[in-house]
């Protein structure tokens, strides 16, 4: 029997978060060949011309990609994949659910859209979600899903400690991403810059991190507002990002997987919630007190949260690490079920 698995996600397009999710499966299933199902029109056309799609027909489908459930475009991706590939089974693990309460430049789901999803989810042999909000949304449309955390929590060192690198930098990742609370034109960097300026005054070292090309400009603007001369990391892959995270004293992240991998690395982490998925994840590790919405950012509040976390890092980190251990255990168990289904 073929060991090929059709991977339906958005890996390989320059976003380290999407790449991290795929890497989990590649790492945990070394005996499987993950073939990326194209999702962009130009890539679909190339796949059809090369015969890739026909050649992989019948292979099981693994839905990766992060926040995919409930999202209109992903309903189309999944439907097309199921029709064309005719997989013998389909599985997913720790997926995120698009939140109908989100308000940005575009609408990505609605309760009417979500009502279409139980029939789609029934087609998967295994179903579990990233966080409590994802679980709550699915429950409201009649789907009972288990909360197991984000699969990327399985990356990195498996032994976590409460030891703190007091000489380490504060790693900062800012982005507008694909969209954000209040719309992409909203500039919320000022309170962040003010908070970072105070951290510098107290002797903290600031370094910036871009996880994809869209992050670079906003990080550079924040660095310039602080006077310039800051290190700006652009890690090439997940391993490089994790190596960087292990040096940190604190992570201030906007991209979801900057925070997921910061938590996986055992680093105190503050999430700047540009999309609801950020709070969904932080709540899954009992850290939603350290999650602040970007359209409601206030320099004093951000400063207070940062100071509180720095002052009680050992206590907070012990609780965070304990929750990561729990979720890693759940994810590992569900990986067994997933592989059995494949």
């Amino acid at each position: 029997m073929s060991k090929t698995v059709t991977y339906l996600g958005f890996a390989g397009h320059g976003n380290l978060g999407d790449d991290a999710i795929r890497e989990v499966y590649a790492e945990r299933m070394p005996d499987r060949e993950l073939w990326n199902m194209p999702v962009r029109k130009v890539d679909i056309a190339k796949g059809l011309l090369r015969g890739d799609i026909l050649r992989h027909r019948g292979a099981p489908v693994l839905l990766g990609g992060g926040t995919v459930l409930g999202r209109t475009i992903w309903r189309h991706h999944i439907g097309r994949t199921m029709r064309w590939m005719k997989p013998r089974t389909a599985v997913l693990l720790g997926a995120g659910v698009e939140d109908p309460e989100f308000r940005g430049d575009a609408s990505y789901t609605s309760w009417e859209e979500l009502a279409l999803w139980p029939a789609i989810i029934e087609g998967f042999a295994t179903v579990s979600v990233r966080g409590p909000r994802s679980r709550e949304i699915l429950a409201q449309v009649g789907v009972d899903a288990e909360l197991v955390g984000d699969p990327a929590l399985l990356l990195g060192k498996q032994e976590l400690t409460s030891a703190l690198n007091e000489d380490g930098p504060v790693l900062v990742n800012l982005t507008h991403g694909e969209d954000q609370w209040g719309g992409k034109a909203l500039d919320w960097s000022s309170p962040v810059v003010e908070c970072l300026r105070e951290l510098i005054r107290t002797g903290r070292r600031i370094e910036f991190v871009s996880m994809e090309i869209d992050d670079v400009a906003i990080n550079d603007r924040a660095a310039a507002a602080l006077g310039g001369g800051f290190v700006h990391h652009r890690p090439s892959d997940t391993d490089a990002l994790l190596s960087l995270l292990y040096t940190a004293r604190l992570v201030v992240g906007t991209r979801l997987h900057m925070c997921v991998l910061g938590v996986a690395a055992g680093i105190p982490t503050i999430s700047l919630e540009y999309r609801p998925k950020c709070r969904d994840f932080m709540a899954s590790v009992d850290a939603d007190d350290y999650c602040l919405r970007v359209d409601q950012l206030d320099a004093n509040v951000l400063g207070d949260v940062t100071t509180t976390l720095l002052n009680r890092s050992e206590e907070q980190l012990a609780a965070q690490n304990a929750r990561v251990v729990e979720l890693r255990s759940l994810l590992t168990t569900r990986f067994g079920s997933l592989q059995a289904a494949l």
Side-chain angles (χ1 to χ4, degrees), residues 133-144:
R133 178 58 177 163
S134 289
R135 189 170 191 270
E136 176 190 346
I137 293 169
L138 288 186
Q140 291 189 53
V141 294
V143 176
D144 184 16

Side-chain angles (χ1 to χ4, degrees), residues 276-292:
K277 60 185 179 180
C278 301
R279 186 169 300 276
D280 190 36
F281 167 71
M282 293 297 280
S284 77
V285 292
D286 298 334
D288 44 340
D289 286 347
Y290 304 104
C291 183
L292 301 173

Side-chain angles (χ1 to χ4, degrees), residues 157-213:
K157 299 174 183 176
Q158 299 303 292
E159 296 296 323
L160 298 175
T161 73
S162 299
L164 299 166
N165 180 10
E166 288 295 348
D167 296 327
V170 176
L171 293 180
V172 179
N173 161 253
L174 307 180
T175 190
H176 292 308
E178 174 187 18
D179 202 350
Q180 63 176 357
W181 284 110
K184 199 169 181 178
L186 177 68
D187 183 0
W188 43 265
S189 61
S190 179
V192 177
V193 168
E194 191 174 332
C195 176
L196 296 179
R197 185 174 287 115
E198 179 60 20
L199 288 175
I200 293 168
R201 191 190 67 77
T202 62
R204 298 289 178 183
R205 178 161 46 99
I206 307 297
E207 297 180 2
F208 291 89
V209 183
S210 288
M211 292 184 65
E212 69 166 273
I213 191 66

Side-chain angles (χ1 to χ4, degrees), residues 16-18 20-21 24 66-67 94 130 149-156 160 173 211 238 241-242 245-246 251-271 277-285 320-321 324 327-328 331:
L16 285 185
D18 291 317
I21 296 171
V24 173
T67 310
R130 172 194 292 139
D150 191 289
L153 285 174
L154 289 170
L155 294 173
L160 298 175
N173 161 253
M211 292 184 65
T238 307
L241 177 57
L242 280 167
L245 287 165
Y246 288 129
V251 169
V252 180
T254 314
R255 289 273 179 197
L256 170 62
H257 282 87
M258 180 72 176
C259 297
V260 174
L261 293 176
V263 169
I267 306 300
T269 297
I270 294 173
S271 171
K277 60 185 179 180
C278 301
R279 186 169 300 276
D280 190 36
F281 167 71
M282 293 297 280
S284 77
V285 292
Q320 176 179 292
N321 288 346
V324 171
L327 292 176
R328 279 177 168 171
L331 285 163

